[in-house]
Amino acid sequence: MEIQLWKELLDPYEQAVSELLTKFNNLKREHQKRNLYSPIESVTGRVKSVNSILEKMQKKGISFERMEEEVEDIAGIRIITQFVEDIQTVESLIYQRTDMEVRSKKDYLTNKKKSGYRSFHLIIWYQVQTIKGPKKLQVEIQIRTMAMNFWATTEHSLQYKYKGVIPGHVEHQLTRAADAIVLLDEEMSQVRSEIMDAQIDNRIQTNLVQDILRNIENLYHRENKREIAKIQNEFYRIYRLHDIDELEKFSKQLDILAEGSRAQSVDSQLHS
Ligand code: 0O2
């Protein structure tokens, strides 16, 4: 293969990664906007470097003709979750989609790798539209917790440092660290519902404060400034109470006030 063809070949994979990043980030945002707990903590993606593709082809004896079929992770997405339970939720979300078709999966959670590696992988078919028409390609989606990711990225760096031959004592420490990660994930699962509740409350409060401030700003342009100052002071007073129910009540009252003020302003514009 001529070197200049690599860019042409990898361009659709770049496009797939970029589109999928947007889609998974949107999934996270959608949850947040609806004050729901998001099983997705963060998403990253990359197209494998030519060097890594060549290395894999050499290691597995893959020909150039079979490359796109057999190197399944030319495009890679990594979804990080907070809890082990979220991994299955993300998997279900992917299965439900009509723009992603699951081709295969590798469950390194139930069957942890000898190295200690834990993660859940899906290989999906994903279609991109290019100027040459549609192209269906494979994307590897790795789904793992923050703790699993910490271990995997550290171990990956060591693999690189020791060129795949990690000394026995380091390997031993990595195995112990992998066991500790299993325990950490289990411990975090025990307090999962409490953490989820706290995060949802925090999100609700953030959205409420945003709504309140937007209403105050709109009223500021239409109403008496002294009245607005009073409303703002009342907001600060309620905010200091740390009571979401009170904040919600205040926000609803302000909604009604803002709606009334808006209607009055439209009315007076029509009659002027
Ligand atoms: P990179 O640099 O992340 O792209 P295999 O035949 O088992 O060697 P295969 O068939 O590609 O590999 O599938 P597998 O095992 O599911 O591995 C796919 C990817 O999972 C790897 O891609 C790594 O990203 C990750 N992975 C798998 N095993 C390990 C492990 O023991 N430690 C770490 N840190 N990551 C792992 P690449 O191409 O190997 O690497």
Side-chain angles (χ1 to χ4, degrees):
M1 176 180 290
E2 289 177 36
I3 196 73
Q4 63 267 32
L5 291 186
W6 276 102
K7 191 181 157 354
E8 205 173 303
L9 181 110
L10 295 182
D11 268 350
Y13 289 88
E14 294 278 0
Q15 190 178 330
V17 168
S18 151
E19 288 181 14
L20 287 166
L21 280 176
T22 305
K23 289 180 179 186
F24 285 116
N25 276 314
N26 275 343
L27 263 180
K28 178 181 174 178
R29 247 193 309 275
E30 235 185 289
H31 279 87
Q32 290 176 332
K33 275 195 189 149
R34 290 165 196 233
N35 293 331
L36 295 171
Y37 169 79
S38 169
I40 297 175
E41 171 64 23
S42 61
V43 196
T44 54
R46 61 100 185 97
V47 171
K48 215 173 175 65
S49 68
V50 175
N51 182 51
S52 295
I53 296 174
L54 287 173
E55 260 180 25
K56 197 160 209 165
M57 288 168 71
Q58 203 174 5
K59 191 174 124 197
K60 296 191 163 187
I62 299 169
S63 65
F64 280 112
E65 290 70 34
R66 303 279 307 154
M67 181 182 75
E68 285 193 83
E69 174 69 19
E70 291 188 34
V71 183
E72 298 168 326
D73 64 340
I74 296 178
I77 294 287
R78 186 169 294 158
I79 299 179
I80 306 301
T81 68
Q82 291 191 83
F83 305 102
V84 180
E85 291 79 357
D86 300 335
I87 296 176
Q88 214 187 348
T89 313
V90 176
E91 184 198 359
S92 308
L93 285 174
I94 293 172
Y95 267 94
Q96 281 163 24
R97 296 192 66 111
T98 52
D99 53 351
M100 303 172 199
E101 182 196 333
V102 177
R103 183 189 181 188
S104 61
K105 61 177 166 183
K106 287 183 188 167
D107 180 356
Y108 299 128
L109 299 175
T110 328
N111 308 301
K112 143 171 111 164
K113 275 198 161 184
K114 214 174 120 247
S115 60
Y117 179 73
R118 283 161 69 238
S119 186
F120 189 84
H121 296 185
L122 288 176
I123 306 294
I124 61 157
W125 285 114
Y126 182 76
Q127 184 166 291
V128 288
Q129 302 293 331
T130 73
I131 47 171
K132 288 186 185 160
K135 183 177 166 83
K136 205 169 166 184
L137 41 82
Q138 300 187 81
V139 180
E140 181 191 69
I141 304 181
Q142 301 184 340
I143 316 168
R144 52 171 91 140
T145 64
M146 290 193 261
M148 292 173 197
N149 192 49
F150 175 50
W151 184 92
T153 46
T154 310
E155 194 257 6
H156 194 273
S157 316
L158 289 172
Q159 288 282 2
Y160 188 77
K161 174 177 171 173
Y162 293 111
K163 299 186 174 53
V165 193
I166 298 182
H169 71 283
V170 181
E171 209 169 51
H172 178 64
Q173 278 167 327
L174 279 170
T175 308
R176 285 176 43 150
D179 292 341
I181 293 291
V182 174
L183 281 180
L184 175 62
D185 272 331
E186 279 171 7
E187 290 291 329
M188 294 311 280
S189 287
Q190 300 293 320
V191 282
R192 179 170 180 258
S193 64
E194 253 183 84
I195 297 173
M196 280 167 67
D197 285 349
Q199 287 174 348
I200 290 170
D201 280 355
N202 187 278
R203 172 61 49 188
I204 291 174
Q205 178 158 335
T206 304
N207 289 346
L208 277 174
V209 169
Q210 245 170 30
D211 286 351
I212 290 170
L213 291 182
R214 198 179 39 240
N215 271 335
I216 291 180
E217 208 168 295
N218 287 338
L219 284 167
Y220 178 83
H221 297 296
R222 291 195 289 264
E223 299 294 328
N224 178 307
K225 304 291 171 281
R226 285 233 315 264
E227 280 303 310
I228 303 303
K230 265 206 256 170
I231 291 173
Q232 202 171 39
N233 287 341
E234 180 62 0
F235 161 58
Y236 290 138
R237 186 190 70 76
I238 292 174
Y239 183 83
R240 280 193 292 268
L241 297 176
H242 296 292
D243 185 335
I244 288 201
D245 291 340
E246 283 298 315
L247 207 58
E248 203 164 357
K249 230 182 339 181
F250 179 73
S251 176
K252 278 189 184 141
Q253 285 168 352
L254 209 55
D255 270 345
I256 297 168
L257 199 69
E259 189 47 41
S261 161
R262 198 189 62 83
Q264 219 170 35
S265 143
V266 171
D267 198 42
S268 59
Q269 271 171 24
L270 284 176
H271 292 95
S272 65

